[in-house]
Amino acid sequence: MPLDHPINSLGFAKPPSQTRVVVAMSGGVDSSVVAAHLAEEGYDVVGVTLQLYDHGAALAKKGACCAGRDIHDAARVAETMGFPHYVLDYENAFREAVIEEFADAYLAGATPVPCIRCNERVKFKDLLATAKDLGADCMATGHYIQRKLGAGPELHMATDANRDQSYFLFSTTPEQLDYLRFPLGHLASKAETRALAVRYGLPVADKPDSQDICFVPNGDYASVIKKLRPNAADPGDIVDLQGHVLGQHNGVIHYTIGQRKGLGIGGLEDPLYVVRLDPEARQVIVGPKAALSTRMIPVREINWLGDEAFDSRAEWHLMVKVRSTRPPRAAVVRPISATEAEVELLDPEDGISAGQACVFYAPEGSRVFGGGWIWRGK
């Protein structure tokens, strides 16, 4: 690598034409703009799209990430911009690493976040390894998050808080972060991304965003799980906190922590919420809203992105996010080991469930300090 060449926009001391970058292309506007932008800058771009499931099967849906239409769209973008594009069949890996665990977690009464596992186990592991096999200097994605340099590469929230995807990328390791690039993280709005798509003449410029989990049609988790686990919809009792039977249900997979509507136990004076699921007893436990309030959260499988070792301190005063749609809130994070902790929220939070992520942020500023998985109830 010539030391006398200025650093290019991806952080390498060589011309863009000598810098190979694999772009993970879903077929959507975000990753398409990343690929087009880097191609315009003169980088040696290689587009790769993962076929994550059989797009002709019942689990797939029109408009889902990496379904047939999206693979076609990614190929059209590559043709428009003049760089090679490959489709890799990761269906078996995706099913084993993401879909099967998703079904098992729901059956265990948890609320899984499969998009995080997909980034962690497929895109930033298998695909990243493929990028290295292709001789790429780095891999770029269309995620709205920022990579900044401090003592080493740091993960930061996107400039546009409405598009920030840090909750879904907390498990990115320091080694992966060294290799990854996120060219959209600094943009002020999605409108800027679409304007770039128009400027590059991309056929996906007006394509709508995908809203649901890619393999879950219309957000209907229960239908997907019943296909994967035919016995998942066994009926049982809806009970209160004292164990009194209030009604019946047609499968715990139809319920989530914090749910109020659709319980089928009307006629009570005060509203009741799902506060716990007991799949072994086939019980949905309900109670008043106060019963949802949680202050202490056990977290494991922690991925730490701080400069000091996680367990080098007795406690960390951080901001944490326990659901993607909620803002970070102040907490004290007390390490139990390098990968486990007890998180104490300064103000209680409602509806926390096992299977969700607890993501750590700096008390001030935009830096992401990693996070872990909530592994049991209160």
Side-chain angles (χ1 to χ4, degrees):
M1 180 182 295
L3 298 178
D4 57 348
H5 194 281
I7 302 296
N8 63 32
S9 65
L10 292 178
F12 299 97
K14 55 184 177 180
S17 61
Q18 297 177 20
T19 305
R20 174 167 289 183
V21 51
V22 163
V23 180
M25 300 183 68
S26 68
V29 65
D30 298 325
S31 58
S32 296
V33 165
V34 167
H37 175 69
L38 294 175
E40 185 189 57
E41 286 193 326
Y43 286 96
D44 178 11
V45 173
V46 178
V48 175
T49 300
L50 302 182
Q51 179 177 313
L52 298 179
Y53 51 85
D54 180 358
H55 52 265
L59 291 184
K61 62 175 184 142
K62 181 179 179 182
C65 166
C66 304
R69 178 75 231 176
D70 296 309
I71 292 173
H72 175 69
D73 287 343
R76 290 171 64 206
V77 168
E79 182 179 6
T80 299
M81 298 303 299
F83 59 81
H85 173 256
Y86 302 97
V87 179
L88 304 181
D89 183 359
Y90 275 53
E91 184 177 347
N92 288 338
F94 183 70
R95 174 176 284 273
E96 293 172 4
V98 179
I99 297 180
E100 296 292 342
E101 182 183 275
F102 171 83
D104 290 338
Y106 250 98
L107 290 182
T111 307
V113 191
C115 297
I116 298 176
R117 290 302 194 192
C118 181
N119 290 326
E120 173 188 311
R121 297 176 173 177
V122 180
K123 293 177 182 176
F124 290 176
K125 182 182 178 184
D126 296 339
L127 178 55
L128 192 145
T130 297
K132 291 182 177 180
D133 289 342
L134 291 171
D137 295 282
C138 64
M139 186 173 89
T141 79
H143 290 105
Y144 286 87
I145 196 166
Q146 298 186 81
R147 174 188 182 273
K148 298 183 179 182
L149 292 179
E154 298 176 354
L155 202 62
H156 286 254
M157 299 170 70
T159 297
D160 181 3
N162 293 323
R163 305 297 303 182
D164 175 61
Q165 292 176 291
S166 59
Y167 183 85
F168 300 99
L169 297 171
F170 81 85
S171 61
T172 306
T173 67
E175 294 75 23
Q176 292 167 342
L177 191 56
D178 187 58
Y179 192 71
L180 290 164
R181 301 295 187 273
F182 309 106
L184 300 184
H186 69 286
L187 297 183
S189 70
K190 182 61 176 273
E192 288 189 39
T193 306
R194 292 198 180 276
L196 287 171
V198 171
R199 173 184 151 194
Y200 298 135
L202 301 185
V204 296
D206 295 325
K207 188 173 182 178
D209 292 339
S210 178
Q211 300 296 326
D212 298 321
I213 295 171
C214 66
F215 60 90
V216 180
N218 304 314
D220 188 356
Y221 302 148
S223 293
V224 171
I225 295 168
K226 281 193 286 187
K227 288 186 177 75
L228 296 167
R229 304 287 188 271
N231 297 325
D234 291 340
D237 294 329
I238 299 175
V239 302
D240 63 18
L241 295 173
Q242 289 72 44
H244 301 131
V245 177
L246 304 179
Q248 279 70 48
H249 64 77
N250 59 351
V252 295
I253 60 171
H254 296 284
Y255 299 86
T256 58
I257 305 298
Q259 179 177 335
R260 176 185 173 185
K261 297 181 179 179
L263 300 182
I265 50 173
L268 301 174
E269 291 185 7
D270 298 317
L272 294 176
Y273 300 77
V274 176
V275 298
R276 194 166 66 254
L277 299 172
D278 187 341
E280 290 187 8
R282 299 202 303 273
Q283 287 185 336
V284 174
I285 299 94
V286 298
K289 188 173 184 180
L292 287 171
S293 183
T294 302
R295 182 183 293 274
M296 308 302 293
I297 309 171
V299 179
R300 64 183 178 183
E301 292 184 63
I302 288 173
N303 177 58
W304 179 246
L305 296 175
D307 299 327
E308 305 172 44
F310 178 60
D311 53 359
S312 65
R313 297 188 189 181
E315 59 183 38
W316 295 86
H317 292 260
L318 300 170
M319 304 294 286
V320 304
K321 183 184 285 194
V322 294
R323 191 168 295 172
S324 64
T325 55
R326 296 184 182 178
R329 57 177 56 212
V332 179
V333 180
R334 299 186 179 92
I336 297 172
S337 70
T339 58
E340 290 184 282
E342 183 178 65
V343 176
E344 180 180 0
L345 302 176
L346 299 193
D347 294 309
E349 177 93 4
D350 291 343
I352 295 173
S353 172
Q356 295 174 333
C358 179
V359 182
F360 308 152
Y361 298 87
E364 297 179 354
S366 62
R367 188 173 178 184
V368 183
F369 277 84
W373 295 94
I374 301 168
W375 63 276
R376 66 174 183 235
K378 298 187 293 181

